[in-house]
Amino acid sequence: MAIIAVIASFDTKYHELAYVKRQIEELGCTPLLIDISTGSNPPLIAITADLQRDDVLRMGGSSWETIRKLDKGNAIKAMSDCVSKVIRTLHDEQKIDGVLGMGGLQNTIICSAALRQLPLGFPKFICSTIASGNRYFDTIVGDKDIVVMPSIVDFAGINPISEVVLANSVASVVGMVQYGKHEIDTHGKHYIGATLMGITNDTVMRAINNLTAEGENVISFHSTGIGGRVLESQIRDGNIVAVMDLCLHEMTAEYFGGLGYSKGANNRLLAAAEMGIPSLICPGGIDFACLSKEDFFADEEKRGYVWHSKDYLTHTRLWESEILDITRTIVQRINCSKGITEIVLPLGGLRTMSRPGEFFFKPDTIKKMNAIFLEELKPGIVYKTFDLNFDDPDFADICSNEMLALLEKGGLR
């Protein structure tokens, strides 16, 4: 019988826990109730956790005597750390088949921390009061495939709305457990990671199609914050064994301290460098920032911009000094590489709209980028330039051919 772990605070969500427990049992599964309370008041109705708060804290390396003395923020952090260890251990020991977390902001933060410890594919679900409105989705899902259900009403007792929402939440988890495909299975094949976004799409897709025609397997990642972050994690997990990283736009958001639509993928390039996998890299898309009106630079009008989507997102030009700073960061990270690494630079432009007379045409800046690569790359890193624009089909063909050569050098062909 499948076991569904249920994570919630027993001191405040006791009505919902009792209801969810019955729903799981009615669907033929076994609930494993886990208490993540950080308050000092006991539940107002009789319900007992299978893993009580003291058990969770002890298994996580702490105790109630320790966290009861902390302020609320640090208590939440301590409980998050402990339940994360517990959930990971339960998964690794094959003692759970899925996880359902539920609650408000505090419960969501703690549940999210725990569910992020689980691998992609493993059934994980959060029913949350904060999964609505103008909120940053990263708070709930991070870089994992966590399914989220807005609770619609607050968790303060069972009513016709919460009954339906919680019953559907339970059914969703049970459905994933019984009918889903729970772990990534590469079937003995190796996979290449590729990065792209709209302004690099055609070239990268042509390169991917070329690789696919040669029998290679490619997983693509959208370079808008979460994409690069997932790529890096999948490299570290061993699911990506080579990378065709042609779109580094996320590094612009990191450069500005997390500004813009593509924020959230800090430390790009380091996973491939540290894991030593074959890597083909191009600084595609590092010449602009993707911004909403709320994020506009103080000198936005002087820089100039084009609307990506009318009155919502812009592509704003960067100053040359900023592009060159980002280039130096690219070099620093590539120089950490332990494996076969190659950089390709199209001297004619780094994205769409970068041909002569177009908005992002910056030939002098690319010449200075070239000088930085020539001067600062460590010996052993292959560096090639081409008198092409990133958007040229010939450049796509070059990228796929160079990637195939790297795979052969790395013993992957």
Side-chain angles (χ1 to χ4, degrees):
M1 188 177 292
I3 298 175
I4 311 295
V6 180
I7 308 173
S9 292
F10 275 59
D11 58 349
T12 58
K13 305 298 179 285
Y14 35 85
H15 291 294
E16 292 79 10
L17 280 159
Y19 179 76
V20 164
K21 180 177 184 292
R22 292 196 302 272
Q23 292 295 309
I24 292 174
E25 290 170 340
E26 288 178 9
L27 292 179
C29 296
T30 300
L32 178 70
L33 305 183
I34 301 174
D35 185 7
I36 55 171
S37 302
T38 57
S40 56
N41 296 324
L44 296 180
I45 65 172
I47 182 169
T48 303
D50 298 293
L51 286 178
Q52 299 184 23
R53 174 174 62 192
D54 288 346
D55 299 323
V56 173
L57 294 172
R58 175 181 50 78
M59 293 168 68
S62 186
S63 68
W64 173 240
E65 287 303 312
T66 297
I67 75 163
R68 67 187 293 268
K69 301 172 185 177
L70 302 175
D71 60 41
K72 186 173 183 179
N74 284 314
I76 291 172
K77 175 64 167 61
M79 180 59 80
S80 297
D81 292 342
C82 289
V83 75
S84 295
K85 293 177 183 177
V86 170
I87 289 296
R88 185 72 208 197
T89 298
L90 290 172
H91 168 270
D92 292 348
E93 295 178 354
Q94 299 183 349
K95 293 181 178 178
I96 55 174
D97 300 288
V99 183
L100 168 63
M102 59 184 187
L105 177 60
Q106 174 178 326
N107 280 249
T108 299
I109 291 171
I110 297 173
C111 291
S112 175
L115 269 58
R116 293 186 206 197
Q117 304 306 307
L118 298 169
L120 293 177
F122 188 85
K124 35 190 158 335
F125 194 105
I126 294 179
C127 185
S128 172
T129 66
I130 70 165
S132 60
N134 187 23
R135 293 186 174 89
Y136 189 32
F137 206 54
D138 187 58
T139 304
I140 306 177
V141 302
D143 59 359
K144 289 298 176 67
D145 56 336
I146 299 171
V147 181
V148 181
M149 173 79 80
S151 67
I152 306 301
V153 294
D154 201 0
F155 288 127
I158 296 299
N159 57 66
I161 297 176
S162 61
E163 279 187 353
V164 169
V165 171
L166 288 172
N168 285 341
S169 297
V170 170
S172 299
V173 177
V174 172
M176 286 190 284
V177 167
Q178 294 182 343
Y179 302 107
K181 187 174 182 180
H182 301 155
E183 303 285 346
I184 294 173
D185 184 359
T186 60
H187 303 292
K189 301 176 182 178
H190 67 254
Y191 281 82
I192 303 163
T195 54
L196 69 160
M197 60 191 305
I199 53 92
T200 61
N201 181 83
D202 291 354
T203 289
V204 180
M205 278 306 306
R206 182 181 174 100
I208 289 172
N209 291 339
N210 291 343
L211 292 174
T212 302
E214 292 291 329
E216 298 298 331
N217 305 290
V218 183
I219 301 175
S220 59
F221 298 87
H222 199 190
S223 299
T224 52
I226 191 62
R229 203 159 97 202
V230 174
L231 168 64
E232 301 279 320
S233 67
Q234 289 302 299
I235 291 171
R236 294 189 189 281
D237 288 347
N239 294 320
I240 300 293
V241 300
V243 67
M244 186 170 66
D245 207 348
L246 305 182
C247 188
L248 304 183
H249 171 68
E250 291 155 320
M251 295 184 68
T252 65
E254 181 183 2
Y255 175 77
F256 290 107
L259 180 71
Y261 189 73
S262 296
K263 62 186 176 184
N266 293 346
N267 302 311
R268 288 280 280 106
L269 300 173
L270 286 179
E274 293 167 5
M275 296 296 288
I277 66 173
S279 302
L280 180 72
I281 298 165
C282 177
I286 69 164
D287 53 355
F288 75 100
C290 189
L291 305 176
S292 64
K293 287 183 177 179
E294 294 77 18
D295 294 328
F296 273 8
F297 296 113
D299 58 350
E300 184 79 11
E301 297 300 328
K302 289 183 179 179
R303 291 170 178 269
Y305 59 87
V306 295
W307 286 106
H308 174 267
S309 47
K310 185 61 177 174
D311 295 327
Y312 177 52
L313 289 175
T314 68
H315 285 189
T316 299
R317 283 188 295 211
L318 300 190
W319 298 123
E320 180 179 274
S321 60
E322 295 163 344
I323 297 170
L324 298 182
D325 283 345
I326 295 168
T327 301
R328 292 187 182 94
T329 300
I330 292 170
V331 171
Q332 290 168 4
R333 293 179 183 177
I334 290 173
N335 282 344
C336 298
S337 179
K338 299 177 182 178
I340 304 166
T341 303
E342 178 179 331
I343 300 93
V344 289
L345 180 67
L347 299 174
L350 301 175
R351 50 158 294 163
T352 57
M353 297 179 64
S354 63
R355 299 181 187 279
E358 294 184 326
F359 194 75
F360 290 98
F361 181 56
K362 284 182 172 286
D364 292 337
T365 300
I366 296 179
K367 287 179 183 177
K368 293 176 182 178
M369 291 175 63
N370 180 38
I372 291 172
F373 282 120
L374 289 171
E375 293 171 8
E376 299 184 16
L377 280 171
K378 74 175 184 180
I381 304 293
V382 177
Y383 174 60
K384 297 180 181 181
T385 62
F386 301 92
D387 289 321
L388 295 168
N389 185 280
F390 187 99
D391 209 29
D392 287 335
D394 286 349
F395 184 67
D397 296 341
I398 286 169
C399 289
S400 55
N401 289 335
E402 296 296 318
M403 188 74 246
L404 290 169
L406 291 178
L407 294 174
E408 189 164 346
K409 289 179 184 177
L412 296 174
R413 275 182 68 81

